[in-house]
mmCIF file of all heavy atoms in Angstrom:
data_model
loop_
_atom_site.group_PDB
_atom_site.id
_atom_site.type_symbol
_atom_site.label_atom_id
_atom_site.label_comp_id
_atom_site.label_asym_id
_atom_site.label_seq_id
_atom_site.Cartn_x
_atom_site.Cartn_y
_atom_site.Cartn_z
ATOM 1 N N GLN A 1 1.277 -0.526 -17.326
ATOM 2 C CA GLN A 1 -0.050 -0.287 -17.890
ATOM 3 C C GLN A 1 -0.865 0.670 -17.025
ATOM 4 O O GLN A 1 -1.662 1.446 -17.536
ATOM 5 C CB GLN A 1 -0.786 -1.613 -18.064
ATOM 6 C CG GLN A 1 -0.176 -2.534 -19.113
ATOM 7 C CD GLN A 1 -1.082 -3.703 -19.449
ATOM 8 O OE1 GLN A 1 -2.269 -3.544 -19.695
ATOM 9 N NE2 GLN A 1 -0.524 -4.906 -19.442
ATOM 10 N N CYS A 2 -0.667 0.611 -15.713
ATOM 11 C CA CYS A 2 -1.454 1.468 -14.815
ATOM 12 C C CYS A 2 -0.949 2.914 -14.824
ATOM 13 O O CYS A 2 -1.735 3.841 -14.548
ATOM 14 C CB CYS A 2 -1.398 0.938 -13.393
ATOM 15 S SG CYS A 2 -2.327 -0.602 -13.111
ATOM 16 N N LEU A 3 0.313 3.133 -15.100
ATOM 17 C CA LEU A 3 0.853 4.497 -15.034
ATOM 18 C C LEU A 3 0.304 5.380 -16.146
ATOM 19 O O LEU A 3 -0.347 6.383 -15.889
ATOM 20 C CB LEU A 3 2.379 4.460 -15.108
ATOM 21 C CG LEU A 3 3.080 3.928 -13.859
ATOM 22 C CD1 LEU A 3 4.579 3.835 -14.094
ATOM 23 C CD2 LEU A 3 2.809 4.833 -12.668
ATOM 24 N N ARG A 4 0.615 5.056 -17.399
ATOM 25 C CA ARG A 4 0.081 5.729 -18.576
ATOM 26 C C ARG A 4 -0.023 7.233 -18.421
ATOM 27 O O ARG A 4 -1.097 7.837 -18.423
ATOM 28 C CB ARG A 4 -1.289 5.147 -18.935
ATOM 29 C CG ARG A 4 -1.292 3.682 -19.308
ATOM 30 C CD ARG A 4 -0.387 3.415 -20.503
ATOM 31 N NE ARG A 4 -0.910 4.039 -21.704
ATOM 32 C CZ ARG A 4 -1.758 3.430 -22.534
ATOM 33 N NH1 ARG A 4 -2.146 2.191 -22.305
ATOM 34 N NH2 ARG A 4 -2.165 4.060 -23.626
ATOM 35 N N GLY A 5 1.137 7.880 -18.259
ATOM 36 C CA GLY A 5 1.161 9.333 -18.204
ATOM 37 C C GLY A 5 0.947 9.939 -16.843
ATOM 38 O O GLY A 5 0.928 11.165 -16.699
ATOM 39 N N ARG A 6 0.831 9.109 -15.814
ATOM 40 C CA ARG A 6 0.611 9.640 -14.459
ATOM 41 C C ARG A 6 1.837 9.394 -13.559
ATOM 42 O O ARG A 6 1.708 9.302 -12.332
ATOM 43 C CB ARG A 6 -0.628 8.991 -13.831
ATOM 44 C CG ARG A 6 -1.926 9.261 -14.606
ATOM 45 C CD ARG A 6 -3.130 8.668 -13.922
ATOM 46 N NE ARG A 6 -3.394 9.262 -12.621
ATOM 47 C CZ ARG A 6 -4.353 8.816 -11.795
ATOM 48 N NH1 ARG A 6 -5.113 7.815 -12.143
ATOM 49 N NH2 ARG A 6 -4.530 9.402 -10.637
ATOM 50 N N GLU A 7 3.004 9.292 -14.165
ATOM 51 C CA GLU A 7 4.211 8.963 -13.400
ATOM 52 C C GLU A 7 4.496 9.955 -12.282
ATOM 53 O O GLU A 7 5.002 9.586 -11.213
ATOM 54 C CB GLU A 7 5.424 8.895 -14.346
ATOM 55 C CG GLU A 7 5.395 7.741 -15.342
ATOM 56 C CD GLU A 7 4.627 8.084 -16.605
ATOM 57 O OE1 GLU A 7 4.053 9.199 -16.679
ATOM 58 O OE2 GLU A 7 4.626 7.240 -17.520
ATOM 59 N N ASP A 8 4.178 11.222 -12.484
ATOM 60 C CA ASP A 8 4.473 12.247 -11.484
ATOM 61 C C ASP A 8 3.497 12.236 -10.311
ATOM 62 O O ASP A 8 3.672 12.986 -9.360
ATOM 63 C CB ASP A 8 4.462 13.629 -12.141
ATOM 64 C CG ASP A 8 5.586 13.806 -13.137
ATOM 65 O OD1 ASP A 8 6.603 13.089 -13.019
ATOM 66 O OD2 ASP A 8 5.455 14.654 -14.050
ATOM 67 N N SER A 9 2.452 11.426 -10.399
ATOM 68 C CA SER A 9 1.432 11.404 -9.347
ATOM 69 C C SER A 9 1.482 10.161 -8.489
ATOM 70 O O SER A 9 0.583 9.906 -7.692
ATOM 71 C CB SER A 9 0.022 11.494 -9.984
ATOM 72 O OG SER A 9 -0.101 12.663 -10.775
ATOM 73 N N VAL A 10 2.545 9.364 -8.626
ATOM 74 C CA VAL A 10 2.626 8.071 -7.935
ATOM 75 C C VAL A 10 3.053 8.260 -6.478
ATOM 76 O O VAL A 10 4.054 8.914 -6.194
ATOM 77 C CB VAL A 10 3.608 7.138 -8.658
ATOM 78 C CG1 VAL A 10 3.795 5.862 -7.865
ATOM 79 C CG2 VAL A 10 3.113 6.834 -10.055
ATOM 80 N N SER A 11 2.273 7.676 -5.573
ATOM 81 C CA SER A 11 2.651 7.632 -4.171
ATOM 82 C C SER A 11 3.481 6.390 -3.872
ATOM 83 O O SER A 11 4.525 6.458 -3.218
ATOM 84 C CB SER A 11 1.391 7.656 -3.291
ATOM 85 O OG SER A 11 1.731 7.482 -1.934
ATOM 86 N N ARG A 12 3.015 5.256 -4.325
ATOM 87 C CA ARG A 12 3.768 4.005 -4.173
ATOM 88 C C ARG A 12 3.279 3.000 -5.186
ATOM 89 O O ARG A 12 2.198 3.173 -5.789
ATOM 90 C CB ARG A 12 3.590 3.439 -2.755
ATOM 91 C CG ARG A 12 2.164 3.079 -2.400
ATOM 92 C CD ARG A 12 2.033 2.414 -1.056
ATOM 93 N NE ARG A 12 0.632 2.170 -0.739
ATOM 94 C CZ ARG A 12 0.167 1.108 -0.080
ATOM 95 N NH1 ARG A 12 1.010 0.174 0.353
ATOM 96 N NH2 ARG A 12 -1.117 0.956 0.168
ATOM 97 N N ILE A 13 4.058 1.943 -5.381
ATOM 98 C CA ILE A 13 3.611 0.827 -6.194
ATOM 99 C C ILE A 13 3.561 -0.414 -5.320
ATOM 100 O O ILE A 13 4.309 -0.546 -4.344
ATOM 101 C CB ILE A 13 4.534 0.612 -7.419
ATOM 102 C CG1 ILE A 13 5.970 0.339 -7.000
ATOM 103 C CG2 ILE A 13 4.462 1.782 -8.349
ATOM 104 C CD1 ILE A 13 6.898 0.090 -8.171
ATOM 105 N N ILE A 14 2.652 -1.304 -5.660
ATOM 106 C CA ILE A 14 2.436 -2.514 -4.877
ATOM 107 C C ILE A 14 2.594 -3.711 -5.796
ATOM 108 O O ILE A 14 1.794 -3.926 -6.721
ATOM 109 C CB ILE A 14 1.026 -2.514 -4.240
ATOM 110 C CG1 ILE A 14 0.834 -1.278 -3.371
ATOM 111 C CG2 ILE A 14 0.822 -3.788 -3.417
ATOM 112 C CD1 ILE A 14 -0.604 -1.071 -2.913
ATOM 113 N N LEU A 15 3.635 -4.488 -5.557
ATOM 114 C CA LEU A 15 3.869 -5.716 -6.298
ATOM 115 C C LEU A 15 3.079 -6.843 -5.645
ATOM 116 O O LEU A 15 3.136 -7.023 -4.414
ATOM 117 C CB LEU A 15 5.354 -6.080 -6.326
ATOM 118 C CG LEU A 15 6.329 -5.028 -6.855
ATOM 119 C CD1 LEU A 15 7.766 -5.497 -6.638
ATOM 120 C CD2 LEU A 15 6.072 -4.785 -8.338
ATOM 121 N N THR A 16 2.349 -7.596 -6.426
ATOM 122 C CA THR A 16 1.644 -8.731 -5.867
ATOM 123 C C THR A 16 2.481 -10.001 -6.007
ATOM 124 O O THR A 16 3.269 -10.149 -6.934
ATOM 125 C CB THR A 16 0.274 -8.951 -6.530
ATOM 126 O OG1 THR A 16 0.460 -9.042 -7.948
ATOM 127 C CG2 THR A 16 -0.663 -7.810 -6.215
ATOM 128 N N ALA A 17 2.296 -10.900 -5.056
ATOM 129 C CA ALA A 17 3.005 -12.174 -5.034
ATOM 130 C C ALA A 17 2.006 -13.282 -4.738
ATOM 131 O O ALA A 17 1.110 -13.107 -3.925
ATOM 132 C CB ALA A 17 4.102 -12.170 -3.965
ATOM 133 N N SER A 18 2.173 -14.390 -5.413
ATOM 134 C CA SER A 18 1.266 -15.513 -5.164
ATOM 135 C C SER A 18 1.470 -16.126 -3.782
ATOM 136 O O SER A 18 0.564 -16.727 -3.219
ATOM 137 C CB SER A 18 1.467 -16.591 -6.219
ATOM 138 O OG SER A 18 2.736 -17.227 -6.046
ATOM 139 N N GLY A 19 2.666 -15.958 -3.229
ATOM 140 C CA GLY A 19 3.005 -16.652 -1.989
ATOM 141 C C GLY A 19 3.699 -17.975 -2.250
ATOM 142 O O GLY A 19 4.262 -18.582 -1.330
ATOM 143 N N GLY A 20 3.646 -18.435 -3.507
ATOM 144 C CA GLY A 20 4.333 -19.672 -3.873
ATOM 145 C C GLY A 20 3.730 -20.897 -3.207
ATOM 146 O O GLY A 20 2.650 -20.841 -2.601
ATOM 147 N N PRO A 21 4.430 -22.027 -3.282
ATOM 148 C CA PRO A 21 3.883 -23.266 -2.733
ATOM 149 C C PRO A 21 3.942 -23.366 -1.230
ATOM 150 O O PRO A 21 3.342 -24.269 -0.641
ATOM 151 C CB PRO A 21 4.777 -24.327 -3.381
ATOM 152 C CG PRO A 21 6.079 -23.642 -3.623
ATOM 153 C CD PRO A 21 5.712 -22.213 -3.950
ATOM 154 N N PHE A 22 4.671 -22.441 -0.562
ATOM 155 C CA PHE A 22 4.895 -22.594 0.870
ATOM 156 C C PHE A 22 4.208 -21.513 1.702
ATOM 157 O O PHE A 22 4.542 -21.313 2.870
ATOM 158 C CB PHE A 22 6.394 -22.590 1.178
ATOM 159 C CG PHE A 22 7.134 -23.734 0.548
ATOM 160 C CD1 PHE A 22 8.463 -23.620 0.206
ATOM 161 C CD2 PHE A 22 6.500 -24.947 0.294
ATOM 162 C CE1 PHE A 22 9.164 -24.672 -0.369
ATOM 163 C CE2 PHE A 22 7.170 -26.012 -0.281
ATOM 164 C CZ PHE A 22 8.507 -25.877 -0.609
ATOM 165 N N ARG A 23 3.244 -20.820 1.118
ATOM 166 C CA ARG A 23 2.507 -19.809 1.874
ATOM 167 C C ARG A 23 1.803 -20.476 3.053
ATOM 168 O O ARG A 23 1.083 -21.464 2.896
ATOM 169 C CB ARG A 23 1.474 -19.123 0.965
ATOM 170 C CG ARG A 23 0.685 -18.022 1.657
ATOM 171 C CD ARG A 23 -0.246 -17.340 0.661
ATOM 172 N NE ARG A 23 -1.327 -18.207 0.248
ATOM 173 C CZ ARG A 23 -2.519 -18.286 0.872
ATOM 174 N NH1 ARG A 23 -2.760 -17.524 1.925
ATOM 175 N NH2 ARG A 23 -3.461 -19.101 0.412
ATOM 176 N N GLY A 24 2.002 -19.916 4.233
ATOM 177 C CA GLY A 24 1.344 -20.426 5.446
ATOM 178 C C GLY A 24 1.993 -21.650 6.074
ATOM 179 O O GLY A 24 1.493 -22.151 7.092
ATOM 180 N N LYS A 25 3.095 -22.116 5.499
ATOM 181 C CA LYS A 25 3.748 -23.288 6.075
ATOM 182 C C LYS A 25 4.542 -22.895 7.320
ATOM 183 O O LYS A 25 4.889 -21.733 7.533
ATOM 184 C CB LYS A 25 4.691 -23.929 5.044
ATOM 185 C CG LYS A 25 4.004 -24.416 3.789
ATOM 186 C CD LYS A 25 3.022 -25.534 4.083
ATOM 187 C CE LYS A 25 2.426 -26.108 2.799
ATOM 188 N NZ LYS A 25 1.435 -27.165 3.040
ATOM 189 N N SER A 26 4.874 -23.881 8.135
ATOM 190 C CA SER A 26 5.592 -23.648 9.377
ATOM 191 C C SER A 26 7.097 -23.634 9.140
ATOM 192 O O SER A 26 7.585 -24.161 8.134
ATOM 193 C CB SER A 26 5.274 -24.761 10.390
ATOM 194 O OG SER A 26 5.812 -26.005 9.937
ATOM 195 N N PRO A 27 7.870 -23.044 10.060
ATOM 196 C CA PRO A 27 9.336 -23.093 9.927
ATOM 197 C C PRO A 27 9.859 -24.529 9.858
ATOM 198 O O PRO A 27 10.813 -24.805 9.139
ATOM 199 C CB PRO A 27 9.817 -22.364 11.184
ATOM 200 C CG PRO A 27 8.693 -21.462 11.565
ATOM 201 C CD PRO A 27 7.457 -22.211 11.202
ATOM 202 N N GLU A 28 9.233 -25.427 10.612
ATOM 203 C CA GLU A 28 9.665 -26.821 10.598
ATOM 204 C C GLU A 28 9.466 -27.436 9.217
ATOM 205 O O GLU A 28 10.327 -28.184 8.720
ATOM 206 C CB GLU A 28 8.903 -27.632 11.653
ATOM 207 C CG GLU A 28 9.195 -27.246 13.088
ATOM 208 C CD GLU A 28 8.556 -25.924 13.497
ATOM 209 O OE1 GLU A 28 7.565 -25.500 12.855
ATOM 210 O OE2 GLU A 28 9.057 -25.298 14.446
ATOM 211 N N PHE A 29 8.353 -27.132 8.595
ATOM 212 C CA PHE A 29 8.089 -27.639 7.243
ATOM 213 C C PHE A 29 9.143 -27.119 6.269
ATOM 214 O O PHE A 29 9.670 -27.888 5.456
ATOM 215 C CB PHE A 29 6.693 -27.240 6.779
ATOM 216 C CG PHE A 29 6.352 -27.721 5.395
ATOM 217 C CD1 PHE A 29 5.726 -28.935 5.206
ATOM 218 C CD2 PHE A 29 6.687 -26.958 4.278
ATOM 219 C CE1 PHE A 29 5.429 -29.372 3.916
ATOM 220 C CE2 PHE A 29 6.402 -27.391 2.990
ATOM 221 C CZ PHE A 29 5.775 -28.611 2.816
ATOM 222 N N LEU A 30 9.431 -25.846 6.352
ATOM 223 C CA LEU A 30 10.380 -25.261 5.407
ATOM 224 C C LEU A 30 11.773 -25.857 5.555
ATOM 225 O O LEU A 30 12.483 -26.049 4.561
ATOM 226 C CB LEU A 30 10.445 -23.743 5.584
ATOM 227 C CG LEU A 30 9.168 -22.957 5.244
ATOM 228 C CD1 LEU A 30 9.398 -21.457 5.393
ATOM 229 C CD2 LEU A 30 8.717 -23.256 3.818
ATOM 230 N N ARG A 31 12.167 -26.182 6.765
ATOM 231 C CA ARG A 31 13.491 -26.762 6.967
ATOM 232 C C ARG A 31 13.628 -28.108 6.264
ATOM 233 O O ARG A 31 14.708 -28.506 5.846
ATOM 234 C CB ARG A 31 13.783 -26.901 8.458
ATOM 235 C CG ARG A 31 14.193 -25.586 9.103
ATOM 236 C CD ARG A 31 14.800 -25.796 10.493
ATOM 237 N NE ARG A 31 13.766 -26.175 11.464
ATOM 238 C CZ ARG A 31 13.090 -25.295 12.200
ATOM 239 N NH1 ARG A 31 13.307 -23.999 12.052
ATOM 240 N NH2 ARG A 31 12.188 -25.696 13.068
ATOM 241 N N GLY A 32 12.507 -28.819 6.125
ATOM 242 C CA GLY A 32 12.553 -30.121 5.481
ATOM 243 C C GLY A 32 11.974 -30.162 4.070
ATOM 244 O O GLY A 32 11.797 -31.236 3.510
ATOM 245 N N ALA A 33 11.684 -28.981 3.504
ATOM 246 C CA ALA A 33 11.041 -28.931 2.182
ATOM 247 C C ALA A 33 11.958 -29.509 1.113
ATOM 248 O O ALA A 33 13.186 -29.281 1.112
ATOM 249 C CB ALA A 33 10.680 -27.486 1.832
ATOM 250 N N THR A 34 11.381 -30.249 0.178
ATOM 251 C CA THR A 34 12.142 -30.905 -0.876
ATOM 252 C C THR A 34 12.100 -30.070 -2.159
ATOM 253 O O THR A 34 11.205 -29.225 -2.337
ATOM 254 C CB THR A 34 11.567 -32.290 -1.180
ATOM 255 O OG1 THR A 34 10.249 -32.122 -1.745
ATOM 256 C CG2 THR A 34 11.475 -33.126 0.090
ATOM 257 N N PRO A 35 13.030 -30.301 -3.073
ATOM 258 C CA PRO A 35 12.967 -29.618 -4.363
ATOM 259 C C PRO A 35 11.651 -29.871 -5.094
ATOM 260 O O PRO A 35 11.117 -28.940 -5.724
ATOM 261 C CB PRO A 35 14.160 -30.193 -5.133
ATOM 262 C CG PRO A 35 15.148 -30.551 -4.063
ATOM 263 C CD PRO A 35 14.314 -31.042 -2.919
ATOM 264 N N GLU A 36 11.129 -31.065 -5.023
ATOM 265 C CA GLU A 36 9.869 -31.361 -5.701
ATOM 266 C C GLU A 36 8.741 -30.510 -5.152
ATOM 267 O O GLU A 36 7.894 -29.994 -5.907
ATOM 268 C CB GLU A 36 9.530 -32.844 -5.557
ATOM 269 C CG GLU A 36 10.458 -33.786 -6.297
ATOM 270 C CD GLU A 36 11.829 -33.920 -5.645
ATOM 271 O OE1 GLU A 36 11.932 -33.640 -4.447
ATOM 272 O OE2 GLU A 36 12.781 -34.317 -6.369
ATOM 273 N N GLN A 37 8.691 -30.330 -3.841
ATOM 274 C CA GLN A 37 7.666 -29.481 -3.244
ATOM 275 C C GLN A 37 7.870 -28.016 -3.620
ATOM 276 O O GLN A 37 6.893 -27.306 -3.898
ATOM 277 C CB GLN A 37 7.712 -29.634 -1.727
ATOM 278 C CG GLN A 37 7.253 -31.007 -1.218
ATOM 279 C CD GLN A 37 7.526 -31.198 0.261
ATOM 280 O OE1 GLN A 37 8.556 -30.742 0.775
ATOM 281 N NE2 GLN A 37 6.631 -31.879 0.938
ATOM 282 N N ALA A 38 9.094 -27.560 -3.637
ATOM 283 C CA ALA A 38 9.366 -26.170 -3.953
ATOM 284 C C ALA A 38 9.082 -25.836 -5.413
ATOM 285 O O ALA A 38 8.750 -24.694 -5.740
ATOM 286 C CB ALA A 38 10.826 -25.836 -3.619
ATOM 287 N N LEU A 39 9.200 -26.822 -6.287
ATOM 288 C CA LEU A 39 8.961 -26.592 -7.719
ATOM 289 C C LEU A 39 7.481 -26.587 -8.075
ATOM 290 O O LEU A 39 7.115 -26.185 -9.184
ATOM 291 C CB LEU A 39 9.679 -27.674 -8.546
ATOM 292 C CG LEU A 39 11.208 -27.581 -8.592
ATOM 293 C CD1 LEU A 39 11.778 -28.850 -9.185
ATOM 294 C CD2 LEU A 39 11.658 -26.351 -9.373
ATOM 295 N N ALA A 40 6.636 -27.028 -7.161
ATOM 296 C CA ALA A 40 5.206 -27.185 -7.463
ATOM 297 C C ALA A 40 4.444 -25.874 -7.217
ATOM 298 O O ALA A 40 3.697 -25.729 -6.245
ATOM 299 C CB ALA A 40 4.612 -28.306 -6.599
ATOM 300 N N HIS A 41 4.653 -24.896 -8.107
ATOM 301 C CA HIS A 41 3.990 -23.618 -7.967
ATOM 302 C C HIS A 41 2.481 -23.777 -8.190
ATOM 303 O O HIS A 41 2.078 -24.469 -9.124
ATOM 304 C CB HIS A 41 4.552 -22.597 -8.935
ATOM 305 C CG HIS A 41 4.191 -21.188 -8.594
ATOM 306 N ND1 HIS A 41 2.947 -20.645 -8.850
ATOM 307 C CD2 HIS A 41 4.902 -20.192 -7.996
ATOM 308 C CE1 HIS A 41 2.912 -19.407 -8.450
ATOM 309 N NE2 HIS A 41 4.091 -19.094 -7.917
ATOM 310 N N PRO A 42 1.653 -23.152 -7.346
ATOM 311 C CA PRO A 42 0.200 -23.355 -7.462
ATOM 312 C C PRO A 42 -0.449 -22.689 -8.671
ATOM 313 O O PRO A 42 -1.515 -23.121 -9.110
ATOM 314 C CB PRO A 42 -0.342 -22.778 -6.158
ATOM 315 C CG PRO A 42 0.676 -21.751 -5.744
ATOM 316 C CD PRO A 42 2.003 -22.310 -6.177
ATOM 317 N N ASN A 43 0.143 -21.631 -9.222
ATOM 318 C CA ASN A 43 -0.535 -20.850 -10.266
ATOM 319 C C ASN A 43 0.222 -20.735 -11.584
ATOM 320 O O ASN A 43 -0.397 -20.667 -12.629
ATOM 321 C CB ASN A 43 -0.799 -19.424 -9.751
ATOM 322 C CG ASN A 43 -1.713 -19.401 -8.529
ATOM 323 O OD1 ASN A 43 -2.463 -20.339 -8.312
ATOM 324 N ND2 ASN A 43 -1.632 -18.355 -7.758
ATOM 325 N N TRP A 44 1.531 -20.663 -11.547
ATOM 326 C CA TRP A 44 2.330 -20.409 -12.731
ATOM 327 C C TRP A 44 3.141 -21.633 -13.118
ATOM 328 O O TRP A 44 3.548 -22.409 -12.256
ATOM 329 C CB TRP A 44 3.301 -19.242 -12.500
ATOM 330 C CG TRP A 44 2.648 -17.913 -12.239
ATOM 331 C CD1 TRP A 44 2.345 -17.384 -11.017
ATOM 332 C CD2 TRP A 44 2.212 -16.961 -13.192
ATOM 333 N NE1 TRP A 44 1.752 -16.158 -11.179
ATOM 334 C CE2 TRP A 44 1.670 -15.878 -12.485
ATOM 335 C CE3 TRP A 44 2.257 -16.903 -14.600
ATOM 336 C CZ2 TRP A 44 1.158 -14.744 -13.122
ATOM 337 C CZ3 TRP A 44 1.741 -15.780 -15.226
ATOM 338 C CH2 TRP A 44 1.205 -14.717 -14.508
ATOM 339 N N ARG A 45 3.373 -21.808 -14.400
ATOM 340 C CA ARG A 45 4.245 -22.880 -14.892
ATOM 341 C C ARG A 45 5.523 -22.232 -15.388
ATOM 342 O O ARG A 45 5.542 -21.567 -16.419
ATOM 343 C CB ARG A 45 3.567 -23.668 -16.012
ATOM 344 C CG ARG A 45 2.295 -24.395 -15.562
ATOM 345 C CD ARG A 45 2.627 -25.480 -14.536
ATOM 346 N NE ARG A 45 1.401 -26.030 -13.941
ATOM 347 C CZ ARG A 45 0.921 -25.673 -12.754
ATOM 348 N NH1 ARG A 45 1.550 -24.767 -12.034
ATOM 349 N NH2 ARG A 45 -0.174 -26.239 -12.267
ATOM 350 N N MET A 46 6.610 -22.424 -14.627
ATOM 351 C CA MET A 46 7.843 -21.703 -14.900
ATOM 352 C C MET A 46 9.023 -22.667 -14.860
ATOM 353 O O MET A 46 8.878 -23.829 -14.476
ATOM 354 C CB MET A 46 8.031 -20.596 -13.843
ATOM 355 C CG MET A 46 6.854 -19.656 -13.710
ATOM 356 S SD MET A 46 7.044 -18.433 -12.384
ATOM 357 C CE MET A 46 6.979 -19.484 -10.918
#
């Protein structure tokens, strides 16, 4: 939607990411993360 005829003028594209349920968590937390915790996305229902 943002391009709309300006494809030749693009410097870069930036994909946004929510960070998911584990944004800011520690390595120790991630090693013990459960499927239930990983499935609990904060913004999207997928």
Side-chain angles (χ1 to χ4, degrees):
Q1 293 191 49
C2 289
L3 288 176
R4 297 301 293 270
R6 299 183 64 184
E7 292 86 356
D8 294 337
S9 303
V10 174
S11 174
R12 62 175 176 144
I13 59 179
I14 303 169
L15 303 173
T16 54
S18 69
F22 297 152
R23 182 177 69 91
K25 299 296 185 182
S26 67
E28 294 74 22
F29 179 92
L30 294 183
R31 282 193 287 270
T34 66
E36 291 74 21
Q37 291 170 323
L39 289 168
H41 196 282
N43 298 338
W44 297 93
R45 297 295 171 260
M46 306 176 292

